Amino acid sequence: MKVPYTKPDIISYAHHAFPLGTILTQDTAENWMLSNYITMYAKEGMNAFNFLVNYESNPFLNIRNIYAYEMKYILHMIGLKKWTIYELKHGVAVELFVDFYYLPLSDQYHRIHYMHEILITGYEEDGRVYYWGYTGNIYKENICCWEDIRIYDTNIFYGDGVAAKLYKGEKVNYQLDSDRVLTQLLLFFRSENPYKTSSLWGNYEEYKNYRYGISGMENLIDIILKNEYIDFRYINVWYEHKKLMHRRMQSLFSIEWCSDLCIIYKELENKWYDILLMAISCNKYNDNRQLEKKKEVVEQIKNVYLMEYKELAKCMNKLGL
């Protein structure tokens, strides 16, 4: 048996892909995604580029954290297999931190102990387990046995004492909110801290050292130049942003400012995809050609940065914002 899950468009990071794939099985959940996946951040001094989204207020998602003390009880008194099957039978997907050393399809199998998340979405009576996660750099559904699933270390979790997460989708009617889209798009354009002015959950003081919105691309350029290889996940998350921007403009096409931006974001989506392919090919070289390719990647990012900024400035000026 399997719980409902669909592969989402946002797969650069598991902590977005897992909950999104759960809620997108609901009819109008895409409207929520298009209303919220707009503002981005880049963390100063770290290789971090991501969407700012509050899952705590997601109407489609019933989410529960399992803390370390609870997991220790589960492991010793119930057993991981029995507990996970119980949750799956009740329509709940289970996210776990596991050791990829024991997962046969992982790159780390019987080589190195490596901690990462997987999302268990189903099982068969013969012992097969269905889970979503990364095999190499590919996000897909995999199959293993219960014996392959080993909790990495009960003392190493998400940094906040959380040892596992449970996801269950809820049926809700949600309309795409054009005002919310415009508010967040303005914050993105101005590179403002969204915690100060929007309904995103959190204490903005904790995020004062982050770079928000479109200016985060400057961090991306810095990191590409400083590191030997390009981690193309950071480029992919910007590509995913443009892909969703194009889709939301299509969904709101009847609104004049959205129709104006729809063509622009389709072009930006294509350009970022080309940059992504360029970055992937760049890592194949380990000589002077790699440096030249990196310079090409950076130059292309600068070009799309300026293009998007100019078009958003034109749009906001037209709207009197």
Side-chain angles (χ1 to χ4, degrees):
M1 63 85 61
K2 289 185 179 181
V3 299
Y5 186 85
T6 185
K7 184 179 180 180
D9 288 317
I10 297 176
I11 57 173
S12 293
Y13 297 98
H15 67 269
H16 287 312
F18 292 166
L20 259 186
T22 302
I23 70 169
L24 288 176
T25 58
Q26 308 300 322
D27 291 339
T28 61
E30 183 169 290
N31 290 336
W32 180 88
M33 178 181 71
L34 295 179
S35 295
N36 289 276
Y37 275 78
I38 299 172
T39 305
M40 296 187 70
Y41 75 88
K43 190 172 183 180
E44 297 289 348
M46 291 184 65
N47 302 351
F49 304 90
N50 228 321
F51 294 93
L52 276 172
V53 180
N54 173 20
Y55 291 110
E56 302 296 331
S57 64
N58 187 321
F60 293 92
L61 186 65
N62 187 332
I63 181 171
R64 183 191 164 200
N65 292 331
I66 302 297
Y67 291 90
Y69 71 91
E70 296 176 283
M71 180 56 70
K72 290 178 180 178
Y73 175 85
I74 290 168
L75 293 176
H76 291 95
M77 302 301 293
I78 303 174
L80 186 64
K81 176 181 176 180
K82 185 176 181 180
W83 172 72
T84 306
I85 288 176
Y86 172 85
E87 297 294 348
L88 291 171
K89 285 183 175 179
H90 287 80
V92 179
V94 179
E95 176 183 335
L96 294 172
F97 253 143
V98 301
D99 191 344
F100 274 43
Y101 178 88
Y102 299 102
L103 288 179
L105 296 178
S106 74
D107 293 341
Q108 295 78 23
Y109 182 59
H110 283 180
R111 291 196 310 111
I112 56 174
H113 293 279
Y114 174 74
M115 174 182 65
H116 210 283
E117 309 101 310
I118 64 170
L119 184 71
I120 301 176
T121 56
Y123 76 99
E124 300 289 352
E125 294 297 336
D126 62 8
R128 285 178 294 166
V129 182
Y130 300 98
Y131 72 92
W132 283 83
Y134 298 96
T135 301
N137 293 308
I138 300 174
Y139 181 76
K140 67 186 186 75
E141 183 184 57
N142 297 294
I143 301 176
C144 67
C145 300
W146 287 110
E147 293 75 18
D148 301 325
I149 299 174
R150 310 282 186 90
I151 297 293
Y152 186 86
D153 186 329
T154 54
N155 295 313
I156 304 176
F157 298 119
Y158 295 84
D160 52 5
V162 176
K165 298 183 180 182
L166 305 179
Y167 301 110
K168 186 175 183 180
E170 302 286 350
K171 290 185 177 181
V172 179
N173 185 29
Y174 193 97
Q175 300 300 315
L176 181 55
D177 188 344
S178 60
D179 291 336
R180 182 172 176 81
V181 170
L182 181 57
T183 298
Q184 292 194 62
L185 188 58
L186 182 60
L187 291 171
F188 176 80
F189 167 65
R190 291 176 174 172
S191 298
E192 291 184 6
N193 185 336
Y195 286 102
K196 291 183 178 180
T197 55
S198 75
S199 58
L200 285 168
W201 173 85
N203 178 1
Y204 72 83
E205 288 296 332
E206 298 176 7
Y207 301 90
K208 60 185 178 182
N209 292 324
Y210 285 24
R211 178 175 280 170
Y212 296 95
I214 195 169
S215 67
M217 288 185 215
E218 296 173 21
N219 284 46
L220 178 60
I221 291 171
D222 291 342
I223 288 175
I224 289 175
L225 293 175
K226 288 177 182 177
N227 291 284
E228 181 178 359
Y229 294 99
I230 299 176
D231 189 332
F232 60 84
R233 290 178 305 169
Y234 308 141
I235 295 177
N236 192 53
V237 76
W238 286 97
Y239 162 64
E240 291 173 345
H241 182 267
K242 308 315 162 193
K243 182 164 62 173
L244 287 187
M245 286 304 302
H246 174 230
R247 190 187 302 176
R248 66 175 51 92
M249 295 308 154
Q250 282 183 312
S251 300
L252 297 169
F253 195 80
S254 59
I255 302 173
E256 184 179 357
W257 67 268
C258 294
S259 61
D260 292 341
L261 287 177
C262 186
I263 298 172
I264 301 302
Y265 272 108
K266 177 58 180 175
E267 186 176 352
L268 284 167
E269 177 187 345
N270 292 337
K271 287 181 178 294
W272 273 100
Y273 184 70
D274 291 341
I275 292 172
L276 177 62
L277 295 181
M278 193 184 303
I280 293 173
S281 65
C282 176
N283 288 340
K284 296 178 182 178
Y285 303 105
N286 56 5
D287 51 23
N288 290 334
R289 287 178 297 174
Q290 184 189 54
L291 182 59
E292 293 301 316
K293 289 287 185 181
K294 282 175 65 175
K295 290 179 179 178
E296 289 180 30
V297 170
V298 168
E299 194 61 34
Q300 289 302 313
I301 292 174
K302 289 179 179 178
N303 290 339
V304 294
Y305 172 54
L306 289 174
M307 175 184 173
E308 185 172 11
Y309 187 86
K310 288 178 180 179
E311 293 298 334
L312 286 177
K314 189 188 303 182
C315 176
M316 297 306 166
N317 184 58
K318 186 177 180 180
L319 291 171
L321 298 173

